[in-house]
Amino acid sequence: MEKSKVVVVVVVSAGRVLAIVALLLACWCEAAAAAAQGGEEGASVRESLVGFLTELAGGDEERACSIGWDASVEPCDGNRTVWPGVGCSGARGDGRITAIVLERKGLDGTINAASLCAAAPALRVLSLEGNALRGDLPAAISGCARLTHIYVGENRLSGSLPPSLAELSSLHVLNVSRNSFSGEIPAGLSKLDLVRFCGNDNRFDGAIPEFELSRFEHFSVANNNLTGPIPDDAGDFGRDSFSGNSNGLCGRPNFPACPPSSDENDGKRRRRRARTVVMCLGYVLLGAGVAAFVLYMMCSKRRRRPSGIGGKTAAATATTETSSVTPGKSAYSLPMSEERTNATAAAAATARATPASLVVLQRSGTAASTVMTLNNAAAEAARKLRFEDLLRSPAELLGRGRFGSAYKVVVPGGAALAVKRVKDAAAAAEEEEEFRRRLERVGKARHPAVLPPLAFYCAMQEKLVVYEFLGHGSLAKLLHGSIESSQVTLDWPARLHIAAKVADGMAFMHDALRGGDGDGANVNLSFSSSYEENEEASSFGGGAIAHGNLKASNILFTATMEPCISEYGVTAPPPPPPSALRADVRAYGVLLLELLTGKATAADGAELARWVTAVIREEWTAEVFDRAMLSSSAAAGHAVASEQRMVRLLQVAMRCIDDASSPPPTMREVAGMMNAIREEDDRSLSSEA
């Protein structure tokens, strides 16, 4: 009996083991089948992509193979790109194709959008510019639902743009310029969040859709056959964006007026009648006003005592004395604000009695030798300068800003000086003695990348600061194409050099003027890493002095085209030192963004910072950088290494403008990061040479 029980137990145990083995075999077979199916699907996707490329090459398999797409190899390995011209994102072993860039490859076939979108559903950027592609832009392009950028300019595409483009809800940039597209521009495009539309040099006809052009960064429909009115909000775009349309467009300056509709004619008649009624009422009110004024004058004359000859003589004498002491000015002299004109006589009398009202900052030979921009003629002219000389000398307006105006003044002797006039509101915000001490402290801190003040004048809310005139333009003009000189090419090394020099100069000035000694004479380069340690909140008491208005137009160039920071500390005292110095760091971050993107920005740079942040969030960082800078790096043969350092510089800029960073970086820390990037760039260039 016991033996039979043992046999039964053994049989049951063996059955369980066989069941487990059978279950494991079934799971393995299912996994193997799934893997085989996944491999087949991956191979199918790769073959579809290679087929798409072959159709782009017009069926020329040899040309397609020369680009380097291999169906036996995965195009992506996580974020790493394996196929040339393909951008990837995702985890290792699960890479998704997010960008295809095949620009200027000599492709002369057609676009198979259905095959592309089926094989790369996560595609965001498609760039096929500068080829010779034929056919049309297929309606199936809407299958790539995540597309944000489409570049098909400079090809031979024809037909009409598919209305299905309006289904691409994430589309921001559409470039179809320099093709042979015809028909109307799809009205549905106006419902997308486009910021760039390039449709110039085609054969489009009909009217311009109702785009909200105020949000566009670039818009051009020039050289087509368009007709009808130009959108009302196209004020930021000049004639070049709409010209060449066979005089079919209307409604903007330099374009014919649009013919009025019948409703407009009725409206004009009603407005004309209303103007007539208003004009009649105006004449009646004017007549009543004149009559009231005459009555008032008659009554006041009766009450007024005659002044007599003595009064007239006194008035004449006062007028003569005023005109005799007012400094003579030509039509091109340095202008005075209207509210100070009545006080000019007293100012001139004071200046004549005390010639030192224009304070000339003293310079020792050692200090002067450290400033590369100091011109002996300018220094000598400033030493002999008087306030009357500034008012009499010919002046040329250089520009206006938030805190005042800048003039070029040619003083007696022929030397050219730059004069900064602080606005009335800014001038009234601080006492004269406070302004005087601040400028004296700034004048003692010397650095080759900072333009020192030569002299200043401070009296009766009139504040002037005199500098050497640097006539080689500013960084703003150089970046945005209003300098014709070819002395400087703004390639990547030049921009990095400018950024590093400005960082060194700002770090030095923050260290030298951080406060504590009252006169700024002690230039201590061991700058504290925390803004909160600067407790002296007033420059009057020797506290920290910030620049207060750092921007591209305040970065000037010397004769050797070295960058030089101007107007340091000229503006009225900003917030307490921690906030003021932090504001300088943030302004420097905006300056870096302007150098990297090539885009102009408003005073605070908030809009540019938001745009850069949005582009980075979309994982397409290369779109941030100025194409001219990228092209110069590619032409020099070190595009990849330079782009890596561009990304590092972009990270420094984002850290500078990030108000949430704790603790925020100081200018000395930022200068250290900049010098590290520049040294790495120099080593890379030396090794490649």
Side-chain angles (χ1 to χ4, degrees):
M1 191 66 178
E2 291 180 356
K3 289 183 179 180
S4 62
K5 288 182 180 180
V6 171
V7 171
V8 170
V9 170
V10 170
V11 170
V12 171
S13 299
R16 288 179 179 176
V17 171
L18 290 175
I20 293 172
V21 171
L23 181 60
L24 291 175
L25 286 174
C27 292
W28 179 83
C29 292
E30 184 177 350
Q37 183 179 359
E40 291 174 0
E41 290 179 355
S44 176
V45 168
R46 296 194 296 273
E47 290 173 0
S48 295
L49 289 172
V50 172
F52 165 73
L53 176 60
T54 303
E55 291 192 47
L56 287 179
D60 189 342
E61 296 183 357
E62 183 177 350
R63 184 186 304 171
C65 289
S66 66
I67 293 179
W69 289 17
D70 187 354
S72 64
V73 178
E74 289 289 344
C76 299
D77 184 7
N79 286 326
R80 189 174 67 87
T81 297
V82 179
W83 287 8
V86 173
C88 304
S89 68
R92 185 174 182 84
D94 187 25
R96 295 170 297 165
I97 297 177
T98 58
I100 293 180
V101 181
L102 298 172
E103 297 177 352
R104 293 170 178 81
K105 300 294 186 183
L107 304 173
D108 57 0
T110 58
I111 302 173
N112 187 341
S115 176
L116 172 65
C117 296
L123 189 67
R124 294 184 179 181
V125 177
L126 176 63
S127 182
L128 305 174
E129 284 185 323
N131 290 290
L133 297 175
R134 298 172 285 106
D136 59 0
L137 184 61
I141 194 68
S142 61
C144 298
R146 297 188 181 182
L147 274 174
T148 60
H149 297 68
I150 298 178
Y151 301 95
V152 291
E154 300 179 49
N155 282 286
R156 299 175 185 173
L157 299 173
S158 58
S160 58
L161 290 182
S164 60
L165 284 172
E167 300 174 15
L168 297 174
S169 58
S170 300
L171 191 63
H172 298 320
V173 176
L174 178 59
N175 186 344
V176 296
S177 61
R178 299 182 183 179
N179 281 285
S180 297
F181 287 113
S182 57
E184 296 186 356
I185 300 174
L189 293 179
S190 62
K191 300 178 181 179
L192 300 178
D193 293 331
L194 289 176
V195 295
R196 281 178 172 265
F197 178 74
C198 305
N200 53 285
D201 298 283
N202 282 285
R203 300 172 185 172
F204 291 122
D205 54 31
I208 300 175
E210 297 179 358
F211 289 109
E212 188 178 341
L213 296 184
S214 58
R215 69 164 183 260
F216 275 67
E217 296 175 2
H218 180 80
F219 183 85
S220 177
V221 290
N223 303 320
N224 284 286
N225 300 314
L226 296 170
T227 57
I230 296 173
D232 294 334
D233 58 349
D236 293 338
F237 301 102
R239 178 181 176 84
D240 293 342
S241 295
F242 304 98
S243 61
N245 278 282
S246 303
N247 297 324
L249 294 177
C250 61
R252 284 287 303 279
N254 302 321
F255 284 89
C258 294
S261 62
S262 59
D263 293 339
E264 290 177 346
N265 287 329
D266 294 339
K268 285 186 176 180
R269 282 193 292 270
R270 287 193 295 270
R271 287 193 295 271
R272 193 179 299 116
R273 285 195 296 268
R275 280 197 297 267
T276 303
V277 173
V278 171
M279 189 179 301
C280 293
L281 289 175
Y283 285 140
V284 171
L285 293 175
L286 179 61
V290 170
F293 177 74
V294 171
L295 289 173
Y296 170 78
M297 293 301 295
M298 292 175 63
C299 295
S300 62
K301 280 185 178 180
R302 292 176 182 176
R303 292 194 300 267
R304 187 184 305 151
R305 292 186 303 169
S307 59
I309 298 176
K312 292 181 180 179
T313 305
T317 304
T319 304
T320 305
E321 289 178 356
T322 300
S323 61
S324 65
V325 298
T326 301
K329 296 188 291 181
S330 69
Y332 302 98
S333 299
L334 189 67
M336 296 191 73
S337 60
E338 184 176 348
E339 64 188 43
R340 289 191 293 266
T341 302
N342 295 331
T344 304
T350 303
R352 185 170 58 186
T354 58
S357 58
L358 185 73
V359 179
V360 178
L361 297 172
Q362 299 297 322
R363 288 171 292 277
S364 65
T366 304
S369 64
T370 64
V371 183
M372 295 189 301
T373 64
L374 192 58
N375 183 299
N376 291 332
E380 182 66 18
R383 187 178 66 82
K384 298 179 179 179
L385 194 62
R386 296 181 304 167
F387 182 57
E388 300 96 315
D389 297 331
L390 284 181
L391 297 181
R392 291 193 181 101
S393 299
E396 173 189 349
L397 179 65
L398 299 176
R400 291 188 176 92
R402 286 186 300 163
F403 299 107
S405 305
Y407 300 87
K408 175 186 177 183
V409 178
V410 180
V411 297
L417 299 174
V419 179
K420 174 73 175 184
R421 161 169 276 150
V422 182
K423 273 186 179 178
D424 293 353
E430 60 179 332
E431 297 295 333
E432 295 177 14
E433 186 62 24
E434 187 173 356
F435 181 83
R436 182 186 303 272
R437 291 195 182 187
R438 184 154 53 88
L439 264 292
E440 287 176 349
R441 288 181 61 199
V442 171
K444 290 178 181 179
R446 299 304 178 86
H447 189 275
V450 180
L451 185 65
L454 301 179
F456 64 88
Y457 174 84
C458 178
M460 297 190 324
Q461 296 185 354
E462 176 75 85
K463 291 181 172 62
L464 306 175
V465 186
V466 182
Y467 296 95
E468 176 192 349
F469 175 70
L470 300 183
H472 301 279
S474 66
L475 177 59
K477 292 183 177 179
L478 192 62
L479 269 175
H480 308 306
S482 44
I483 291 184
E484 298 180 359
S485 172
S486 59
Q487 296 183 59
V488 170
T489 301
L490 272 185
D491 54 8
W492 161 245
R495 300 188 197 211
L496 181 58
H497 175 75
I498 293 170
K501 284 287 187 181
V502 172
D504 284 341
M506 289 296 297
F508 178 90
M509 296 301 284
H510 277 201
D511 291 348
L513 301 172
R514 62 176 178 171
D517 57 0
D519 60 1
N522 180 22
V523 178
N524 184 2
L525 296 182
S526 59
F527 185 52
S528 169
S529 62
S530 173
Y531 292 114
E532 281 69 17
E533 294 181 12
N534 298 290
E535 297 295 338
E536 301 84 352
S538 170
S539 60
F540 178 80
I545 300 177
H547 187 292
N549 193 25
L550 182 63
K551 56 184 179 179
S553 58
N554 280 340
I555 307 300
L556 308 180
F557 290 97
T558 67
T560 57
M561 299 310 289
E562 286 290 329
C564 197
I565 304 166
S566 68
E567 299 186 16
Y568 192 100
V570 169
T571 58
S579 301
L581 299 181
R582 169 62 186 143
D584 274 1
V585 175
R586 192 185 190 286
Y588 178 75
V590 173
L591 187 70
L592 290 183
L593 293 183
E594 200 166 346
L595 278 168
L596 288 170
T597 64
K599 296 180 180 294
T601 181
D604 59 355
E607 184 176 354
L608 179 60
R610 283 195 298 268
W611 177 79
V612 171
T613 303
V615 174
I616 294 174
R617 191 180 297 118
E618 291 183 3
E619 301 179 1
W620 192 243
T621 305
E623 277 291 312
V624 169
F625 302 127
D626 189 355
R627 288 199 171 189
M629 179 176 66
L630 292 174
S631 300
S632 63
S633 297
H638 43 77
V640 176
S642 295
E643 189 168 339
Q644 292 174 349
R645 286 183 286 278
M646 291 176 199
V647 172
R648 287 185 58 191
L649 188 60
L650 179 61
Q651 292 170 345
V652 174
M654 298 307 292
R655 186 178 174 191
C656 289
I657 67 174
D658 184 8
D659 294 327
S661 61
S662 180
T666 64
M667 274 310 308
R668 176 56 58 192
E669 292 170 342
V670 172
M673 290 184 274
M674 293 300 308
N675 287 324
I677 297 175
R678 185 171 59 172
E679 289 172 3
E680 182 182 341
D681 195 71
D682 291 341
R683 287 195 300 270
S684 176
L685 292 177
S686 300
S687 63
E688 291 178 4

